Amino acid sequence: MSAKDPEGAAACEVWFYHLERTGLDQALPELLEKTLQRGWKAIVRSSAPERIEHLDGWLWSYRDESFLPHAPADEPGAARQPILLTTGVENANAADALFLVDGAEPGELAAFKRCVVLFDGNDDDQLRNARAQWSAVKARGLPVSYWKQQARGWEKQA
């Protein structure tokens, strides 16, 4: 049974992904592909404008045989994009999934089905931030899970 918000709608699930074996550039495209395969739209929110610029180029070229259709939020037609890259808090493309990187804050989550927090396990600041976000999400009563990168892939730990 899934958690419900006060209005009775399914609450946003918040998944924490602890990156240890690969970096964000390897993990994020795979998770975005799975999101699009579900028929969902996504927002990738960063606290760093330079990360948005990097991802804008990377998602077109991360693999020779495919790309992920996306755009930065400040480009025309942002509302039509399957994946929107932003530092802002608006859900301009009516996304189902929110991906948080670089310690970006989740803000209001009611519009999302899932929020994925990706953090680098080798970065003490990101670890501290992820722990604080975990506590805040739990305090809000949202369903939360923790995924750790293992040799054979992602494994749910909590």
Side-chain angles (χ1 to χ4, degrees):
M1 178 172 243
S2 64
K4 304 281 185 184
D5 69 16
E7 285 78 43
C12 178
E13 296 177 290
V14 183
W15 292 7
F16 285 77
Y17 276 76
H18 189 156
L19 301 172
E20 288 188 313
R21 298 179 174 272
T22 62
L24 181 68
D25 280 355
Q26 290 73 42
L28 182 61
E30 176 185 317
L31 294 170
L32 289 170
E33 285 176 344
K34 290 179 180 181
T35 299
L36 294 182
Q37 287 169 0
R38 292 183 78 120
W40 288 3
K41 289 184 177 182
I43 287 180
V44 178
R45 182 183 301 154
S46 174
S47 59
E50 59 274 9
R51 173 76 74 183
I52 298 301
E53 186 176 325
H54 166 75
L55 289 173
D56 186 28
W58 178 245
L59 295 179
W60 290 116
S61 61
Y62 74 97
R63 194 168 53 207
D64 288 342
E65 66 276 6
S66 69
F67 69 94
L68 288 164
H70 69 279
D74 60 359
E75 288 191 5
R80 296 188 313 268
Q81 293 299 323
I83 300 170
L84 201 58
L85 309 174
T86 187
T87 57
V89 296
E90 301 80 21
N91 186 357
N93 66 341
D96 305 283
L98 171 65
F99 290 82
L100 301 174
V101 300
D102 302 318
E105 289 299 319
E108 180 54 52
L109 295 174
F112 300 101
K113 295 176 183 170
R114 184 166 301 144
C115 175
V116 178
V117 180
L118 295 128
F119 62 98
D120 183 345
N122 299 308
D123 183 312
D124 289 339
D125 289 337
Q126 286 193 30
L127 280 172
R128 271 192 298 280
N129 189 61
R131 287 182 184 125
Q133 286 180 324
W134 173 277
S135 295
V137 168
K138 293 276 291 180
R140 288 165 73 174
L142 295 173
V144 61
S145 58
Y146 169 75
W147 298 79
K148 190 168 183 179
Q149 213 169 18
Q150 305 291 338
R152 63 187 177 278
W154 292 101
E155 189 173 293
K156 188 174 181 180
Q157 303 285 307

